[in-house]
Amino acid sequence: MARVVVDVMLKPEILDPQGQAVQRALPRLGFEGIADVRQGKRFELEVEGPVDAAALRRIHELAETFLANTVIEDFTVRVEEPAVSEEAPA
Amino acid sequence: MARVVVDVMLKPEILDPQGQAVQRALPRLGFEGIADVRQGKRFELEVEGPVDAAALRRIHELAETFLANTVIEDFTVRVEEPAVSEEAPA
Amino acid sequence: MARVVVDVMLKPEILDPQGQAVQRALPRLGFEGIADVRQGKRFELEVEGPVDAAALRRIHELAETFLANTVIEDFTVRVEEPAVSEEAPA
Amino acid sequence: MARVVVDVMLKPEILDPQGQAVQRALPRLGFEGIADVRQGKRFELEVEGPVDAAALRRIHELAETFLANTVIEDFTVRVEEPAVSEEAPA
């Protein structure tokens, strides 16, 4: 079983008002130096069998049709390497 | 300016009914072989200045307080490498 | 065709950190007097045929299974009256 | 304390691919007769003091600036009547 991650974000030219509200709140909450915040969606797909080029193409198609609205959103598809640690810093 | 990504996902033991609905819809939509779908949130933070250990610790704190509810969600913090291509396969 | 609305909100005892970040940002953005902000999901279902008690029961079931996680979320189901204006104030 | 609800939905002409995926999954999950599903956001604001026309105007402004992107989303503002039961049918 491999994990494929599809990230969906609003296109850069589309305003993200809630991300902006969070960004503007940060100094007051004690967090300086963050110039922009944008919020999107992350989908984790557990795929049976090998994730070869054909499988990735199909997931790309799936993302284009049912996970993202490509008029307003960009998306990326990638296989998550199990070896890469994603832990937050201690 | 560096980009730090915070991914927030429901903990594995917490049911994600919408992800499940999508997963169950897939065979009917022509996509076989996807055993599970989970949906979370992805935050992209544009950080001014160097993203050193101290900056990452502060973003970790921010995520813990204002981006994730750690009772029901896990999160990860990572610096996005500008060199890594995130393009979907052609 | 009738519209049935399903609102899904985190249970009151479950922290909503993003709603909190927005709430705390409000005074700085010039909005005073808002004591709490919570963010949930709204589903609009267009239903064919009459929305009788049996139809509402089925939608209730659907919400319970595929729209909400009832361990952490509450939901409500209601028929949206077409006569009620939902316009924002001028 | 009064509750004001802001509902934010994608404009009707903007495709909602996830709502569509859920809608297409429904027959297979045993739910017939639902022609469309759209998913949006619901914000519940707890307002201190009376919710008069001036307060509603300010919340309308807040929604326009920080809760919705009016290029792609519509929103509505309303005071939630405490007397109205929102319970799902038994």
Side-chain angles (χ1 to χ4, degrees), chain C residues 47-68:
Chain C
V47 181
E48 291 160 355
V51 182
D52 50 17
L56 277 177
R57 244 193 323 269
R58 280 176 38 241
I59 290 170
H60 190 268
E61 235 176 86
L62 166 65
E64 203 161 23
T65 320
F66 290 110
L67 303 181

